[in-house]
Amino acid sequence: MSAFTPEDFGFAFLEDGATVQDVIEQRISELSKTDAREAFYVADLGQVVRRYLRWVRFMPRVTPFYAVKCNDSRPLVLALAALGTGFDCASEYEVELVKSLGVDSGRIIYANTCKQPSHLKHAAAQGIQMMTFDDEGELLKIANCYKDAKLVLRIETDDSDSMFPLSNKFGATVEMGKFLLKRAKELALDVIGVSFHVGSACKNPKAYTKAIADARILFDKGAELGCNMTLLDIGGGFPGYDIPDLFVFKEFAAEINPTLDKYFPASSGVRIISEPGRYFPSTVYTLAVNIIGKKVAAISEKEKQDSDGEDVHKNRMMYYVNDGIHGSFKFVLFPNALVLPNPCQKRQLNERTYSSTIFGQTCDGHDLIMEDFQLPELREGEWLLFHNMGAYTITTSTTFNGFQKPDIHYVMSRSMWQHIEDISAAKGLYAPEEEASEEPEICSFLKPGPARKLYEQYAKQAVPRIIEAMELQRKREMQDRV
Ligand SMILES: Cc1ncc(COP(=O)(O)O)c(C=O)c1O
């Protein structure tokens, strides 16, 4: 019997084959009877189970320590706790949250290289021993506050192929790492391993190869200095969902597994963990927003001329919806972010489209969700869905202008709940074949049919833009390095 009950999570079962889409439609029909058509999320916790099974199947040597910063919603974190993952916490609050769910301190890594001393003391009081560092100042701080900590040296990586790079701020070079290992020894601190992060939403699995090889160099140096090097932490960066030609989880596993076997074979006894964030919650959450305003703007003569005689329609559509960049869409401030709207109303495949801009609801002129996207004409009061919205949305949103965060409705099928019960009772990594073989892709949550075809068309518009933005970012980074 599981120690967890559905009541602990507060989700509703998806009964009689009902789908997330059915739940969304029902909620919309309820809200449509009122004036209060607030944005809302539907979160399918069964997706967390599927993601977990997939991880265990494709990277069985690597234990995930979920990065709570990505989405700290209690039901989600509880689902992962029940599945037996570890947790990457970055602050006192995150430690408190995870501990409040009954998670043992040994399943937590304090993976923030720059810790506030009071948070460090709190971690010490909670017995959270594993923690990262990447400079001498942090070593001195830890030597002062927490002599018994088990330290993990974070090294820098080539993150130029990631949507959200991190090495500008975190990670020591290999040379600096060697110095830090010596310094830790002088301070009588216990270094147990090496960690890295290749940048969030990485599109190049080879970034891990180089980082793992660098970690090996520092493992050897640590061992030479008498450190008991037993932990490799390969960080986050794994895709939240597969986008062919951009990132496919299986391809990451295919690159990482043999690299680990080469540099850290099972016979080495080194424990391997990771800190996936977006990998787990992205596909769990669908956001429904309401169109609260619409403007039709004529395109300028200049734009008509620039269109080179193409069939450009005369109008440009501007929509205003009840969420935005100060809420769930903060991540669009990064030029590489993928946002993909899915109009709720049924559409014809060959319907005429318009250049459309979607604004958020605040009084900020920068509150712009997406620009110049070809969409059919939408009307005020209509609903738009944004799928794959579980990563860095709920944790980054604010209530700027007094707009409250959307409600979240949690659901799960009975078969997925059964997996949670079985896995938490087995207390081990376990993946039934039939579930793990599922291929979650950007559009696969929609049943084959016209709606999916349309969504695929939108994806075809959006994905090349990201690839282009990432190429630009890479070029800029290369120039900066010269
Ligand atoms: C230290 C650390 N670990 C893990 C993560 C999670 O990364 P991702 O969501 O790319 O898996 C982050 C994200 O910023 C991070 O800073």
Side-chain angles (χ1 to χ4, degrees), residues 158 161-162 198 201-208 246-247 252 474:
D158 177 357
D161 274 324
S162 297
V198 296
C202 173
K203 79 176 172 72
N204 179 9
K206 293 227 180 310
Y208 291 86
L246 199 56
F247 24 57
F252 283 72
R474 195 176 156 71

Side-chain angles (χ1 to χ4, degrees), residues 49-112:
V49 184
R50 289 191 189 91
R51 301 296 282 162
Y52 168 86
L53 296 175
R54 205 168 154 70
W55 184 285
V56 176
R57 171 136 187 252
F58 288 110
M59 269 203 285
R61 285 194 64 201
V62 183
T63 306
F65 276 52
Y66 170 63
V68 179
K69 61 182 77 67
C70 182
N71 183 327
D72 63 3
S73 303
R74 201 171 184 280
L76 171 82
V77 180
L78 186 56
L80 287 160
L83 291 167
T85 71
F87 294 92
D88 149 7
C89 295
S91 63
E92 181 174 327
Y93 172 81
E94 289 184 358
V95 168
E96 279 292 314
L97 169 70
V98 173
K99 291 287 298 179
S100 75
L101 304 175
V103 173
D104 189 77
S105 298
R107 279 167 64 192
I108 297 175
I109 182 165
Y110 192 172
N112 187 340

Side-chain angles (χ1 to χ4, degrees), residues 67 69 88 111 154 166 197 200-201 236-238 275-278 392:
K69 61 182 77 67
D88 149 7
R154 178 158 168 186
L166 291 166
H197 196 306
S200 197
F238 304 94
E275 300 166 6
R278 67 178 63 247
Y392 304 106

Side-chain angles (χ1 to χ4, degrees), residues 2-19:
S2 156
F4 301 95
T5 67
E7 289 71 39
D8 295 329
F9 294 78
F11 67 80
F13 278 117
L14 286 169
E15 301 289 11
D16 304 327
T19 62

